[in-house]
Amino acid sequence: MTDRLRAIEGPWSPFFTALFDSVHPLEGQLVQREHDAMIKGMHGSHLVYKKDGSPVEENPWRTGKEGRTCTASAYGRRSVSRHVASFRAS
């Protein structure tokens, strides 16, 4: 085990783990957007629309800002990033 990992573990580690486990669900309900909660596990190499995460195959004719796409994995990572940022802000 490295020194860095030993520094993380200590007498206060169980306390902070218990605190995080008890606060995380409550804060998730109060701060996190419902859409982010539903899609933060999205993954795959198929294309989805950046605006709402719907698959490109359902409506391949969007144009302009509505037509911007990304992979499903990138869309899920954006959602997780917003989720983490909401915890850091609160």
Side-chain angles (χ1 to χ4, degrees):
M1 188 178 285
T2 66
D3 290 336
R4 181 181 167 106
L5 290 176
R6 283 193 197 116
I8 294 171
E9 295 175 353
W12 291 98
S13 183
F15 170 75
F16 288 118
T17 301
L19 180 66
F20 179 79
D21 288 345
S22 63
V23 172
H24 185 261
L26 175 65
E27 194 168 6
Q29 290 178 357
L30 297 174
V31 178
Q32 185 180 21
R33 294 183 346 182
E34 182 178 352
H35 183 69
D36 287 340
M38 291 186 311
I39 61 166
K40 66 184 177 187
M42 184 182 269
H43 63 281
S45 58
H46 61 283
L47 292 177
V48 297
Y49 289 109
K50 283 186 175 182
K51 179 141 179 102
D52 59 5
S54 63
V56 171
E57 295 85 26
E58 289 180 8
N59 184 4
W61 306 109
R62 288 188 187 181
T63 60
K65 285 187 176 183
E66 292 285 324
R68 293 183 181 163
T69 61
C70 64
T71 64
S73 292
Y75 194 73
R77 283 191 302 269
R78 278 183 15 181
S79 176
V80 169
S81 297
R82 282 192 299 266
H83 174 65
V84 170
S86 70
F87 279 104
R88 298 292 293 172
S90 59

